[in-house]
Amino acid sequence: MCGIIGCVGRGERTLDTLVDGLERLEYRGYDSAGITLLGDDLGVRKTAGKIADLETLLDERPVDGHIGIGHTRWSTHGPPTDANAHPHQDCTGDVAVVHNGIIENYQSLRDDLSAEGHTFTSDTDTEVVPHLIERGLEMGDSPEAAFRNAIAQLDGSYAIAAIVGNEEAVFAARNDSPLVIGIGDGTASSDREYFLASDVPAFREYTDKVIYVEDGEFARLDSELAVTDSDDQPVDKEVHSIEWDAEETGKSGYDHYMLKEIHEQPRALRQCLSGRVDELAGTVNLDGLSDRSPSSVQFVAMGTSYHAALYGTHLFQQAGIPAQAFHASEYATATPPTGDALVIGITQSGETADTLSALREARSRGAETIAVTNTVGSTADRECDETLLIRSGPEIGVAASKTFTGQLAALNLLALATVESARTRRGVVPELRELPGRVQSILDDSNAAEIAEEYHDSESFFFIGRRYQYPVALEGALKLKEISYEHAEGFSAGDLKHGPLALVDEDTPVFAMVTGDDEVARKTVGNIKEVEARDAPVVAVTDGRSDAALYADHVLEVPETIPRAAAVLTNVQLQLVAYHVANLLGRPIDKPRNLAKSVTVE
Ligand code: F6R
């Protein structure tokens, strides 16, 4: 987790650039924050709390400089205190370091450095880095050599940026944690400006030109940019263009990013489908991915992405391909993939440590891997054999909304392009094409706010569904619990009476997803009757083709479509319910407590 930012060449706008960048990175962690600026000397300001608290500190104790680094933290080692906030410094105060990730061998490094007389002031793993750099400088290393030598001693995952001595440069390195460099046009006072960050939104308003730093590479940003490998040889880096605008990372008049992102789903779906489906021909083209015909599929993912993985298993199984979904953190116990098995990692960030580690495990077992991700240049994108981009655009709210929808759409494309029949494609493609408009109609007409008003102070919330609606039930519960802090559980509808029904009473609204009018719908209506008989209020999320509404206290309507597309629609209604419940309870919807957008530790 954590967000890091750095910039050079911004002159007197350096401080504002860092603070703005941290605000845009706050979704990565927000329990403490800090910055360092190099001016006449090295000024460090840091504090527990949010970026707003850092701004208050900067008003009280201003700092000046023209080169800087900053950090917003999500604690792993040590509680969120002023002392544990980054940047961390050495004994002399001449070195400042910010870090995202975990240094696994920090304890032995710290013991050695302490024995040599170095004094530590925090509980963090990061603090060993400035002291290692200090040791190098004492031994006569140049600032750059001291930085490189310090990095060479670290085990673990890191994106690190440092200012060393009075050297007018920012040094950076990465292993297993994201780091991207922005190349700006320069200002009146400098020919070139460079930015460094964990993620592009931190500096997107200044440039659309980026390079992605790879594991093992070092970057030096001063009046020029130099990227070198671990042998100090120059690396010729490709410059990429970012295709989305800075405004896309703003709230555009919505009260919360999450609400904005829920409303962006029609566009996100269009982007995902764009150029990939041909309705007339009934074909799906995913370039290099289309010619796969896997004998089996294993999905690895966490959280919301795991729910998308469960949905993906139904798609492939329906096509006769054995498919399993694993929490990536449990993948070690999976039967090894064999033959033409595909291992598909679903991760919107592309940086989830558990998912990356499962994908590496799969590769080491000889499997071909595919990343289904929203993040170009992410570790998953770069490490997997192939990538299927979901193209949802930046998602800032910590709770995944439009990226889950994007994942479901992308998985449909993947199944259609690889294993499903031409007949299926002809039936499904037009329904996918209609999805953006159908989602829009839900956004325009939903009564989710009224349902939230009625039930927001309930004891507990249950969600039930079958087949494609089972992952939606799990996702509906996860969304509600993470942003409202209320207890919520999702169940396969059939499992309810095997235990959880004991919890159902008049204070437990049950949301039941029932679409179509087939055997599956009829069975779920049977489950609705079971909870209704226990006096539980029932909210049917339905297209009205079954009897669900007859037994429900309230209805959230969705347009008619095929079962796999209906899951996208019912989920949108549940997103809105979760949002409105959380809003009525006054929760910090975009930044729920204890959570971070990108979970880069296992
Ligand atoms: C929930 C949520 C998380 C993520 C999970 C995996 O709203 O956002 O459960 O889905 O941390 O993240 P990615 O998809 O980035 O691998």
Side-chain angles (χ1 to χ4, degrees):
M1 265 64 43
C2 305
I4 68 177
I5 171 103
C7 66
V8 302
R10 294 284 294 161
E12 54 197 33
R13 290 181 294 175
T14 304
L15 177 61
D16 289 347
T17 305
L18 294 177
V19 174
D20 286 353
L22 288 180
E23 274 169 356
R24 291 188 182 276
L25 288 174
E26 216 176 0
Y27 70 90
R28 299 181 66 85
Y30 34 81
D31 59 36
S32 48
I35 52 143
T36 291
L37 265 81
L38 179 63
D40 293 337
D41 53 14
L42 205 55
V44 174
R45 301 287 182 270
K46 57 182 192 171
T47 179
K50 298 196 165 26
I51 310 297
D53 299 300
L54 176 63
E55 288 178 90
T56 307
L57 175 66
L58 287 164
D59 287 342
E60 289 162 10
R61 295 178 52 214
V63 62
D64 197 17
H66 50 277
I67 286 179
I69 53 178
H71 188 269
T72 178
R73 178 167 186 251
W74 188 85
S75 318
T76 53
H77 290 71
T81 59
D82 291 355
N84 288 337
H86 299 215
H88 289 286
Q89 292 191 272
D90 65 332
C91 301
T92 66
D94 288 341
V95 178
V97 170
V98 292
H99 162 225
N100 167 30
I102 289 189
I103 296 166
E104 282 161 14
N105 59 337
Y106 87 98
Q107 194 58 57
S108 66
L109 292 169
R110 186 169 168 139
D111 292 346
D112 292 350
L113 288 158
S114 299
E116 290 168 25
H118 289 263
T119 307
F120 286 80
T121 58
S122 78
D123 310 313
T124 65
D125 51 343
T126 306
E127 201 186 349
V128 296
V129 183
H131 290 281
L132 288 172
I133 296 174
E134 178 188 6
R135 179 158 77 185
L137 292 172
E138 281 167 4
M139 288 162 58
D141 285 351
S142 68
E144 183 165 340
F147 178 75
R148 297 179 79 96
N149 290 337
I151 298 294
Q153 296 173 64
L154 307 179
D155 292 337
S157 65
Y158 50 79
I160 289 177
I163 296 181
V164 182
N166 284 329
E167 189 91 343
E168 306 251 320
V170 171
F171 298 104
R174 69 156 267 174
N175 185 48
D176 270 358
S177 288
L179 193 60
V180 57
I181 291 172
I183 304 171
D185 287 335
T187 58
S189 55
S190 97
D191 293 342
R192 258 289 154 79
E193 49 192 8
Y194 295 107
F195 308 87
L196 176 81
S198 307
D199 203 355
V200 178
F203 56 71
R204 173 65 188 88
E205 65 185 288
Y206 313 115
T207 182
D208 63 351
K209 303 267 176 301
V210 302
I211 63 173
Y212 297 102
V213 181
E214 302 284 335
D215 284 353
E217 290 178 347
F218 290 83
R220 179 193 167 103
L221 286 63
D222 50 33
S223 55
E224 290 186 2
L225 168 67
V227 180
T228 46
D229 64 15
S230 52
D231 296 325
D232 207 5
Q233 294 307 304
V235 183
D236 199 12
K237 299 295 291 184
E238 186 182 349
V239 178
H240 299 262
S241 288
I242 298 297
E243 280 164 15
W244 43 267
D245 297 332
E247 293 72 56
E248 288 190 56
T249 59
K251 281 193 210 150
S252 307
Y254 288 95
D255 288 343
H256 297 94
Y257 281 113
M258 184 179 177
L259 189 59
K260 175 186 170 230
E261 287 153 7
I262 289 172
H263 280 265
E264 283 173 346
Q265 291 178 114
R267 180 165 62 153
L269 279 165
R270 280 190 197 97
Q271 284 171 184
C272 182
L273 302 177
S274 169
R276 291 169 162 172
V277 291
D278 182 334
E279 207 172 322
L280 283 180
T283 53
V284 174
N285 181 7
L286 296 178
D287 297 324
L289 281 169
S290 303
D291 55 6
R292 304 292 187 290
S293 52
S295 52
S296 65
V297 169
Q298 292 182 332
F299 289 98
V300 291
M302 299 301 288
T304 288
S305 297
Y306 172 72
H307 301 152
L310 280 177
Y311 173 94
T313 60
H314 290 302
L315 289 174
F316 281 83
Q317 281 164 357
Q318 289 283 301
I321 306 298
Q324 289 170 288
F326 295 90
H327 275 127
S329 54
E330 298 297 324
Y331 185 62
T333 56
T335 314
T338 49
D340 293 331
L342 266 187
V343 178
I344 303 175
I346 306 180
T347 164
Q348 67 78 22
S349 64
E351 301 294 349
T352 297
D354 289 304
T355 307
L356 293 176
S357 137
L359 287 166
R360 285 173 193 147
E361 172 93 23
R363 260 195 317 285
S364 75
R365 293 165 167 184
E368 180 173 20
T369 54
I370 296 181
V372 178
T373 184
N374 196 32
T375 314
V376 186
S378 61
T379 307
D381 175 24
R382 285 179 292 108
E383 289 190 358
C384 284
D385 298 304
E386 294 285 348
T387 295
L388 174 55
L389 289 171
I390 63 173
R391 301 182 184 161
S392 299
E395 187 176 71
I396 307 297
V398 163
S401 56
K402 64 175 177 172
T403 54
F404 178 65
T405 294
Q407 289 168 345
L408 302 191
L411 289 171
N412 272 286
L413 296 180
L414 187 60
L416 289 168
T418 56
V419 296
E420 295 193 291
S421 68
R423 186 155 172 267
T424 305
R425 278 198 294 275
R426 277 195 298 278
V428 173
V429 165
E431 296 300 314
L432 293 181
R433 276 274 190 225
E434 294 294 329
L435 262 182
R438 288 175 177 154
V439 169
Q440 189 62 56
S441 73
I442 292 173
L443 295 172
D444 293 342
D445 300 332
S446 176
N447 53 331
E450 290 150 39
I451 309 265
E453 184 73 50
E454 170 110 19
Y455 295 119
H456 68 278
D457 51 6
S458 300
E459 198 69 4
S460 227
F461 297 78
F462 283 4
F463 296 80
I464 58 172
R466 287 169 185 262
R467 310 286 158 83
Y468 289 111
Q469 298 292 352
Y470 169 47
V472 174
L474 297 179
E475 175 60 9
L478 176 64
K479 215 75 330 175
L480 185 70
K481 74 178 89 162
E482 70 178 326
I483 62 170
S484 74
Y485 311 159
E486 295 301 309
H487 178 246
E489 296 295 333
F491 303 102
S492 68
D495 203 32
L496 198 67
K497 58 179 161 295
H498 296 278
L501 196 57
L503 295 171
V504 166
D505 62 16
E506 66 280 2
D507 271 338
T508 324
V510 177
F511 290 76
M513 276 61 73
V514 196
T515 56
D517 186 21
D518 55 5
E519 188 61 19
V520 177
R522 277 191 286 282
K523 284 185 181 169
T524 311
V525 172
N527 301 127
I528 289 179
K529 291 183 195 163
E530 288 158 14
V531 295
E532 198 225 1
R534 272 84 188 168
D535 294 329
V538 175
V539 180
V541 189
T542 181
D543 55 10
R545 283 190 281 171
S546 65
D547 287 343
L550 290 179
Y551 304 98
D553 298 273
H554 297 278
V555 170
L556 287 164
E557 281 179 33
V558 296
E560 287 183 23
T561 181
I562 54 175
R564 55 208 273 176
V568 174
L569 303 179
T570 50
N571 181 62
V572 173
Q573 289 284 24
L574 298 188
Q575 290 172 342
L576 290 167
V577 171
Y579 174 82
H580 288 296
V581 169
N583 205 24
L584 286 164
L585 295 172
R587 306 298 190 222
I589 292 177
D590 287 329
K591 293 171 193 160
R593 69 183 176 207
N594 306 336
L595 302 179
K597 184 76 183 157
S598 180
V599 185
T600 53
V601 289
E602 286 180 66

